[in-house]
Amino acid sequence: DAYRGKSIFPIRDDDSIFISLASFRDHLLGDTLKGAFDQAKRPDRLFVGAVVQNCFGLHPYPGEDGVQCRTGAQVVGKDEHGHDTTKVSDAPPDRNGIDEFCSSPAHRRFCDSGQIRVLYLHENESLGPAMARYYASKLWGGETHFVQVDSHLEFYTHWDELYVSELQSAKSF
């Protein structure tokens, strides 16, 4: 009953934006994060909650065996009836878009200031996109506004200002 009808976090009144993001083996995640911050008018007001579901490879962490990464089904030709023939191959570990973003000199400060919150899951532990989006939503920390995006999105110039303006123009705001 302590939280009934109350937010766990106090809701900020600074037009901050929480970006809820779920990624499954997406090589564009780093570019999406860079675009969100580079195209924002006020990147200092952006906060990201990302669930990264990747194949981390055979030795992702000390003491953990990991798994061999595999491709999805690849079309390699046609059979005698004209149907696609496919194969699955070994693959390198997936790109870590969070590391790409946070190691970029232009973006490191956003990670260092706590604007990027991440939950990593091995791809074989994924429970699907709906559950990943739910987990990402739980990384919200009281930001004024909430937006859910895909991990392969391109952002428009000053998208954050346009988003807040549109929200505030709604009759229900």
Side-chain angles (χ1 to χ4, degrees):
D1 285 340
Y3 292 107
R4 186 176 305 276
K6 300 177 188 172
S7 174
I8 293 174
F9 298 101
I11 298 174
R12 300 163 57 148
D13 189 24
D14 59 0
D15 280 337
S16 55
I17 300 173
F18 177 74
I19 302 171
S20 178
L21 190 150
S23 173
F24 184 83
R25 300 193 73 181
D26 196 335
H27 67 281
L28 296 174
L29 172 59
D31 295 332
T32 296
L33 292 172
K34 290 174 185 177
F37 283 83
D38 291 348
Q39 295 297 329
K41 184 170 185 179
R42 297 293 310 268
D44 55 303
R45 293 184 181 172
L46 301 182
F47 295 82
V48 174
V51 174
V52 178
Q53 304 162 104
N54 273 0
C55 181
F56 300 105
L58 292 172
H59 303 287
Y61 311 106
E64 185 175 343
D65 290 336
V67 297
Q68 173 61 54
C69 298
R70 308 281 283 164
T71 64
Q74 301 168 301
V75 177
V76 294
K78 301 277 185 188
D79 65 16
E80 65 275 2
H81 302 291
H83 300 116
D84 291 340
T85 56
T86 61
K87 72 173 186 171
V88 175
S89 304
D90 289 347
D94 296 326
R95 289 171 51 185
N96 185 333
I98 301 295
D99 281 350
E100 290 175 3
F101 178 78
C102 291
S103 64
S104 162
H107 303 101
R108 182 176 296 124
R109 66 186 170 105
F110 302 115
C111 300
D112 292 345
S113 67
Q115 288 176 250
I116 309 295
R117 305 170 194 139
V118 186
L119 172 64
Y120 287 103
L121 293 173
H122 289 280
E123 58 148 349
N124 58 357
E125 298 172 331
S126 171
L127 297 174
M131 188 57 84
R133 289 180 181 126
Y134 170 75
Y135 290 154
S137 76
K138 294 303 179 184
L139 298 173
W140 174 76
E143 290 78 21
T144 312
H145 307 290
F146 184 105
V147 61
Q148 179 179 300
V149 303
D150 289 333
S151 57
H152 43 264
L153 184 70
E154 292 185 20
F155 289 85
Y156 189 78
T157 304
H158 296 170
W159 71 270
D160 54 331
E161 181 179 63
L162 296 167
Y163 173 69
V164 170
S165 174
E166 185 146 337
L167 282 173
Q168 293 174 344
S169 70
K171 289 181 181 180
S172 61
F173 185 76

